[in-house]
Amino acid sequence: MASKDMLALGSQASVIRDLFSYGQQQAAVVGKENVFDFSIGNPTVPAPACVKESIKNLVDTRESVAVHGYTAAAGDTAVRQGLAKYMNDTYDAKVGADNFYMTCGAAASLTITLKALVESPADEIIVVAPFFPEYTVFIANAGAKEVVLPPDTEHFQISLKAMEQAITANTRAVIVNSPNNPSGTVYSAETYGKLAVLLTRKSAEFGHTIYLIADEPYREIIYDDLPILYVPHFYGNTIVCYSYSKSLSLPGERIGYILVPDSAADAKDVYTAVCGAARAMGFVCAPHIFQDVVLQCLGQTSDVGVYDYNRKLLYNGLKDMGYDCVYPSGAFYLFVKSPEPDANAFSEKAKKLNLLIVPADSFGCPGYVRISYCVDPDMIRRSLPAFQKLMDSYKK
Ligand code: PLP
């Protein structure tokens, strides 16, 4: 007999995956070039050249065990030292190798961090809508209660007023994600500053630390010369969950890290609990070869210029047609208000035109859709008449 909870979870298909599969089936019927699949966040911009070069170099020059063998559970020391130096040079982070735990991407970083922090089923984790839907699954897996902060649909920053109301004596942590999936918003220094003041005050009021979990797989995918902010500088009790899935276009390779800075309360214990949680869930020793690849590619990213080009093409195109779009400052998603209250109905109408766009109900933001533009710019150009037709159907 299987676990009922896991059976239920395994049986539920995600809306994104459903649309993605539909797109593949539909391509066989109407032709690949006539399906406009904006459903999934799978980068099509190739990984930078250093990825291929370092893989070749590692395979050609190292002994098998030094490429494919186990590393330490937390990751190879030289890799973590290199990462620490990079973060110190770039962000003045003041970290060392022992602040890092290498993981299989952001999903692992988050599940491990949550497991390391949650103590009792009464513990609450606050998520800020709109948010990555898997947070709900990860929080349940850690045995905590999810508390959803309603979206600030005016600016898509964090409503401090709503946050103040959401924090209780049971709040263990708050998860933030910037640049944001799905809104494309980047949280400002002002937002982080105010959030830090609030979390510090509430931690004092309730007599325990409220941690901030900064989920940052899109850290470097940022536009308009906005600065990349190092969140622990604003709030010391921050645990950073990073991934190379998007910045280096390596989602299938499963590589990222958790950073527990010394500024976090009980940092050594939290780090040790991270090691314990990773061990309990079998997330030890992230893929060896990709630990070394990311070391050799520190500071590099895929060509963000392509995403920027797509962003402008889609944002300007859709705005001109009359769509109400959130201005995207980062990541590779355009968040659009549905012209009718039910975004599912809107997405269904779009689907009839072979436009695959994701209703944002599962992101905690009904009435919006997410358009993932990490696609071939040509597809965006070809899709514009369909977007126009869709808008026209609302004007009739
Ligand atoms: N967090 C956010 C906000 C994401 O968008 C994603 C993936 O799309 C993840 C976490 C998971 O990333 P990874 O593929 O590195 O596990």
Side-chain angles (χ1 to χ4, degrees):
M1 176 79 181
S3 144
K4 279 197 196 71
D5 287 350
M6 293 303 117
L7 185 60
L9 187 60
S11 315
Q12 280 164 19
S14 96
V15 192
I16 303 175
R17 292 266 159 203
D18 267 358
L19 273 172
F20 180 67
S21 313
Y22 172 82
Q24 308 233 302
Q25 288 160 19
Q26 191 67 353
V29 182
V30 297
K32 201 167 174 277
E33 67 290 354
N34 296 316
V35 176
F36 313 115
D37 185 358
F38 295 98
S39 64
I40 208 162
N42 207 8
T44 50
V45 174
C50 68
V51 168
K52 202 175 195 176
E53 281 156 20
S54 58
I55 294 171
K56 271 174 141 171
N57 177 265
L58 289 162
V59 173
D60 287 348
T61 61
R62 287 200 184 168
E63 269 181 63
S64 181
V65 70
V67 181
H68 305 298
Y70 287 120
T71 65
D76 185 72
T77 307
V79 171
R80 292 182 292 123
Q81 276 167 345
L83 258 174
K85 182 175 178 331
Y86 172 75
M87 294 301 281
N88 293 338
D89 292 347
T90 313
Y91 303 106
D92 192 23
K94 299 187 173 59
V95 289
D98 291 344
N99 296 105
F100 288 89
Y101 193 99
M102 302 305 293
T103 64
C104 294
S109 301
L110 289 161
T111 37
I112 294 168
T113 301
L114 288 164
K115 191 84 181 165
L117 293 178
V118 171
E119 193 127 53
S120 103
D123 284 355
E124 293 170 0
I125 307 290
I126 298 178
V127 298
V128 183
F131 59 90
F132 181 53
E134 292 303 283
Y135 290 168
T136 305
V137 179
F138 300 160
I139 292 168
N141 176 60
K145 207 174 132 210
E146 181 186 55
V147 175
V148 177
L149 205 72
D152 155 19
T153 48
E154 201 179 333
H155 305 107
F156 285 92
Q157 295 281 318
I158 300 170
S159 160
L160 271 297
K161 210 168 141 208
M163 183 67 83
E164 168 122 33
Q165 283 166 0
I167 297 174
T168 72
N170 291 327
T171 306
R172 197 87 186 159
V174 174
I175 305 180
V176 290
N177 163 229
S178 172
N180 185 264
N181 173 11
S183 72
T185 308
V186 173
Y187 293 154
S188 64
E190 192 190 343
T191 295
Y192 281 123
K194 286 184 178 164
L195 180 63
V197 170
L198 176 62
L199 294 182
T200 306
R201 179 159 57 78
K202 286 288 179 185
S203 295
E205 184 182 328
F206 293 119
H208 70 260
T209 305
I210 299 170
Y211 290 95
L212 185 62
I213 301 173
D215 177 26
E216 302 196 326
Y218 303 93
R219 184 193 290 151
E220 295 84 4
I221 305 178
I222 192 162
Y223 312 110
D224 305 330
D225 295 324
L226 284 181
I228 298 177
L229 303 175
Y230 179 68
V231 186
H233 283 330
F234 292 86
Y235 187 61
N237 298 313
T238 299
I239 300 167
V240 180
C241 291
Y242 185 77
S243 161
Y244 293 90
S245 294
K246 317 288 172 167
S247 60
L248 285 179
S249 301
L250 294 176
E253 307 301 352
R254 315 308 301 140
I255 189 76
Y257 63 77
I258 299 165
L259 167 56
V260 184
D262 288 340
S263 58
D266 303 315
K268 288 274 172 293
D269 283 355
V270 172
Y271 183 83
T272 307
V274 160
C275 298
R279 180 179 173 192
M281 293 189 289
F283 272 136
V284 291
C285 178
H288 188 162
I289 189 165
F290 280 93
Q291 291 188 39
D292 282 302
V293 168
V294 300
L295 174 66
Q296 295 192 6
C297 296
L298 283 173
Q300 306 235 22
T301 65
S302 304
D303 185 358
V304 175
V306 178
Y307 297 135
D308 194 15
Y309 178 85
N310 285 357
R311 168 181 85 117
K312 288 173 180 150
L313 189 63
L314 200 57
Y315 177 77
N316 293 332
L318 266 57
K319 284 286 278 186
D320 286 349
M321 292 173 201
Y323 286 98
D324 184 352
C325 310
V326 177
Y327 183 78
S329 302
F332 39 55
Y333 306 104
L334 184 66
F335 209 46
V336 179
K337 192 165 182 197
S338 165
E340 62 181 303
D342 182 358
N344 290 284
F346 175 52
S347 166
E348 279 303 314
K349 284 188 187 128
K351 205 167 152 189
K352 296 213 165 71
L353 297 167
N354 295 317
L355 277 174
L356 308 183
I357 55 181
V358 181
D361 297 51
S362 62
F363 294 86
C365 197
Y368 284 77
V369 292
R370 187 192 78 169
I371 304 180
S372 175
Y373 59 78
C374 54
V375 297
D376 183 349
D378 241 18
M379 189 189 93
I380 299 181
R381 266 182 233 111
R382 281 186 280 111
S383 73
L384 291 176
F387 275 114
Q388 181 68 66
K389 209 166 166 188
L390 183 60
M391 183 43 103
D392 290 346
S393 72
Y394 285 92
K395 288 182 179 156
K396 269 179 201 154

